[in-house]
Amino acid sequence: MTDNIKVKVRNMTKKFGDLLVLDDISFDVHKGEFLCIVGPTGCGKTTFLNCITKLYEPTSGEILVNNEPVNLKKHNVAYIFQEYSTMPWLTVEQNVAFGLEIKGVDKETIRREVDEVLEMVGLMDYRNYYPVELSTSMIQRVVIARAFATKPELLLMDEPYGQLDVELRFKLEDELLKLWKKTGTTVIFITHNIEEAVYLSENILVLTNKPTTIKRNLENHLPRPRNVVDPEFVKVRNEVTELIKWW
Amino acid sequence: MGRFKDAAKYEKTIFAVISITTFLLIWYLVTKDTELGKVLAGPVTVFGKFFKSFTEPLGTHVIPGHILWSLSRVMVGYVVASILGIILGVTMGWSRLVEAMFRPLFEIIRPIPPIAWIPLAILWFGLGELTKYFLIALATFSNVTMNAYSGAKSVDPVLIGAARMLGASDSRIFMTIVLPASVPHIFAGLQIALGSAWATVVAAEMVRSSEGVGWVIITGQDTNNSVQILVGIIAVGIIGYVLAIMMRQIEANLCSWSERGK
């Protein structure tokens, strides 16, 4: 069964000096799973992602992708930051092509992939615009398009919709689910928004306050498409809220 | 939007015309049959001479010839120093090692005005062209380096992180992120540098030359000819203005993605 596991985190601990941020965390993420990680503000959610991507080295423990230590040159991992990370000097389509160019994909394929992914996120008409000419939600779609264009085996998202208003967030969440289903990529999505986590995920990892451990790994079997006012949905949401309460 | 822009442009032109006309009028009045007029030629005389010198040589060249001489000197020193300055500045901003090595040295040299190097430059390179190139290059170098440096330093770390996550190597990040992100800063430096390079060529030519706008000015002094001095000064002003406009146009084309380029 290990073959089906995409990410394996074993006894991961991260200290900054004397400050213990992540305390002996272990869990698995299955191939094609959509995992949401929720937890109180400042509980080290971002630190956790940064350990997976080796932006930080964990103090102890290991993180395996496909049963190997994570290696960004080898594993196709995409990371969508909280901040908007489009390159302002590149047009929408150049931004989307950027990741593919880095990976040395040939021009013909780049053109095809870019067209396809721009179509999916509805930015076809804006391909020659610069980010400065776009709204924030469109910029975040460019970033998402750039990530999906590289066909990542693992997609890490750190509160990507934290700065958007509700309507746009709903729209982009649906778009993300569509892309996820279509590509079958494994997604680890960090959020502090419980409703968002319940709406998107197949599994929810609830973290505790610092020093952070896993409070619960909750399976979310709600049928899709989900409805945020559905009583079943509300039940799961309340359950997560109870778990996350630290006051 | 377009109509607003047109109206603003129209307004700007009107004010420019009014301010220049007022200036010329005051100049005309204070020099017409006055004591001041004996030491300062009026605008009619000066501009008359200026346009005349397009056909009648001052010394060995007509005025466009002098301008071209000065411009060619500026271009040699400016281009060489700009290339070196961009390379040093951006690498200094990107690599801590290069920064640690060059920054202290650079900080000491930077505040020295280029004309303070004139005596040393003459001792080193004599009175020929090399001295002028050297001084212009100095005037350009520190401005360009400093701006390229601060440009590379202020690249958004999120963009570097994003490129790294996509698997970009350090050299790739340098070429595709740091360099383009620094372009608006580099352009600001190139603009300032062009101004000071143009100022320096005049100073360098005043020290020793047989042609160029600096020569026109200094010969005017030697021959007690205030008209010629003013002709030289007008040429300096007009060319400086034209160069600044050209640079702004190039920047607008190259940096249309940034706020500065707008």
Side-chain angles (χ1 to χ4, degrees):
Chain A
M1 276 311 280
T2 48
D3 273 349
N4 199 24
I5 291 174
K6 188 81 203 168
V7 186
K8 200 185 271 184
V9 179
R10 287 290 172 272
N11 309 101
M12 182 169 68
T13 298
K14 175 72 190 169
K15 285 184 194 165
F16 289 105
D18 286 337
L19 181 69
L20 180 60
V21 180
L22 303 175
D23 185 14
D24 196 26
I25 292 183
S26 299
F27 67 93
D28 293 335
V29 187
H30 292 89
K31 263 183 197 151
E33 182 178 327
F34 199 124
L35 173 75
C36 280
I37 300 181
V38 294
T41 311
C43 76
K45 296 186 292 272
T46 302
T47 306
F48 174 76
L49 269 201
N50 286 341
C51 282
I52 295 186
T53 57
K54 295 277 182 155
L55 284 177
Y56 298 149
E57 204 58 50
T59 312
S60 65
E62 60 177 358
I63 301 161
L64 304 175
V65 175
N66 300 340
N67 271 323
E68 292 171 292
V70 58
N71 174 354
L72 294 180
K73 291 253 184 319
K74 189 169 171 193
H75 297 123
N76 192 355
V77 181
Y79 192 145
I80 294 175
F81 296 84
Q82 230 164 336
E83 303 86 359
Y84 301 125
S85 62
T86 47
M87 318 302 170
W89 55 90
L90 300 179
T91 60
V92 167
E93 74 179 332
Q94 288 167 337
N95 261 291
V96 176
F98 184 81
L100 294 166
E101 280 164 5
I102 291 212
K103 291 183 191 301
V105 178
D106 65 279
K107 280 205 170 120
E108 189 45 46
T109 317
I110 292 183
R111 227 187 39 211
R112 215 179 39 241
E113 298 287 339
V114 169
D115 280 357
E116 190 184 315
V117 80
L118 282 180
E119 186 70 57
M120 282 199 280
V121 297
L123 286 175
M124 216 44 171
D125 294 341
Y126 298 92
R127 57 191 308 155
N128 293 320
Y129 282 55
Y130 285 103
V132 73
E133 300 165 307
L134 303 178
S135 68
T136 45
S137 76
M138 282 161 107
I139 288 177
Q140 200 60 325
R141 272 148 109 179
V142 176
V143 177
I144 289 163
R146 184 176 68 195
F148 272 100
T150 62
K151 301 219 180 335
E153 47 184 323
L154 178 61
L155 176 62
L156 308 171
M157 305 179 83
D158 184 6
E159 301 198 24
Y161 307 139
Q163 298 177 49
L164 301 179
D165 67 43
V166 181
E167 189 198 343
L168 286 170
R169 192 159 57 73
F170 283 166
K171 237 173 130 176
L172 289 189
E173 282 168 4
D174 283 336
E175 212 164 67
L176 173 65
L177 286 174
K178 244 194 282 170
L179 288 166
W180 165 65
K181 273 188 200 149
K182 196 166 171 189
T183 56
T185 184
T186 310
V187 183
I188 301 182
F189 188 106
I190 285 187
T191 176
H192 62 258
N193 185 326
I194 296 163
E195 185 182 271
E196 185 173 44
V198 176
Y199 188 75
L200 291 172
S201 68
E202 296 191 302
N203 270 296
I204 303 173
L205 204 63
V206 184
L207 302 180
T208 64
N209 245 328
K210 258 191 239 115
T212 306
T213 55
I214 296 174
K215 192 158 196 180
R216 262 291 278 288
N217 193 344
L218 197 90
E219 287 183 15
N220 179 3
H221 295 303
L222 289 173
R224 298 182 194 268
R226 291 172 181 167
N227 181 352
V228 292
V229 291
D230 184 79
E232 282 301 308
F233 187 99
V234 175
K235 212 176 112 193
V236 180
R237 199 189 69 199
N238 288 342
E239 192 181 345
V240 178
T241 311
E242 278 309 311
L243 283 169
I244 215 171
K245 266 187 186 169
W246 66 93
W247 55 88
Chain B
M1 273 301 276
R3 267 170 86 181
F4 270 124
K5 257 189 177 164
D6 283 351
K9 226 174 168 182
Y10 185 64
E11 204 170 71
K12 250 180 162 175
T13 317
I14 298 261
F15 278 110
V17 170
I18 292 175
S19 84
I20 292 170
T21 317
T22 315
F23 170 74
L24 290 175
L25 195 68
I26 293 172
W27 181 8
Y28 175 77
L29 291 175
V30 296
T31 52
K32 173 125 180 86
D33 304 327
T34 63
E35 276 304 304
L36 187 63
K38 288 175 189 160
V39 286
L40 176 68
V44 180
T45 326
V46 171
F47 278 97
K49 177 74 182 165
F50 180 74
F51 289 115
K52 225 187 210 166
S53 54
F54 274 76
T55 48
E56 283 175 21
L58 292 167
T60 47
H61 297 277
V62 288
I63 199 82
H66 288 294
I67 290 172
L68 282 179
W69 262 104
S70 301
L71 273 178
S72 69
R73 286 170 179 145
V74 166
M75 280 310 132
V76 175
Y78 179 74
V79 170
V80 173
S82 294
I83 294 169
L84 292 176
I86 292 170
I87 294 172
L88 177 66
V90 179
T91 357
M92 235 166 47
W94 173 238
S95 150
R96 286 214 184 133
L97 182 71
V98 179
E99 183 184 22
M101 271 162 53
F102 286 97
R103 176 104 203 251
L105 191 66
F106 184 70
E107 286 296 339
I108 296 170
I109 295 173
R110 189 166 70 104
I112 305 170
I115 49 171
W117 294 94
I118 290 179
L120 204 56
I122 292 175
L123 287 181
W124 285 347
F125 305 113
L127 290 165
E129 294 300 303
L130 260 183
T131 296
K132 299 176 185 77
Y133 297 154
F134 174 72
L135 294 170
I136 293 157
L138 271 177
T140 308
F141 185 69
S142 37
N143 282 315
V144 175
T145 310
M146 208 51 220
N147 279 274
Y149 168 69
S150 69
K153 254 310 207 220
S154 59
V155 178
D156 186 351
V158 170
L159 300 185
I160 294 178
R164 185 153 289 157
M165 282 307 308
L166 289 162
S169 60
D170 275 356
S171 57
R172 195 77 193 249
I173 290 175
F174 182 78
M175 294 305 291
T176 57
I177 306 287
V178 178
L179 220 48
S182 310
V183 167
H185 283 84
I186 291 174
F187 252 92
L190 286 174
Q191 269 170 351
I192 304 167
L194 191 57
S196 64
W198 186 238
T200 307
V201 76
V202 175
E205 285 172 351
M206 282 163 72
V207 173
R208 169 76 190 89
S209 62
S210 320
E211 63 289 290
V213 283
W215 176 89
V216 172
I217 295 171
I218 201 71
T219 322
Q221 181 207 308
D222 292 344
T223 55
N224 205 9
N225 183 348
S226 76
V227 180
Q228 185 171 325
I229 295 176
L230 289 168
V231 166
I233 288 174
I234 288 169
V236 171
I238 292 174
I239 299 303
Y241 181 62
V242 170
L243 289 176
I245 289 180
M246 274 165 51
M247 286 299 282
R248 238 173 279 156
Q249 205 50 52
I250 297 173
E251 184 184 17
N253 288 336
L254 268 180
C255 307
S256 54
W257 54 269
S258 84
E259 286 305 325
R260 261 188 70 85
K262 290 258 152 218

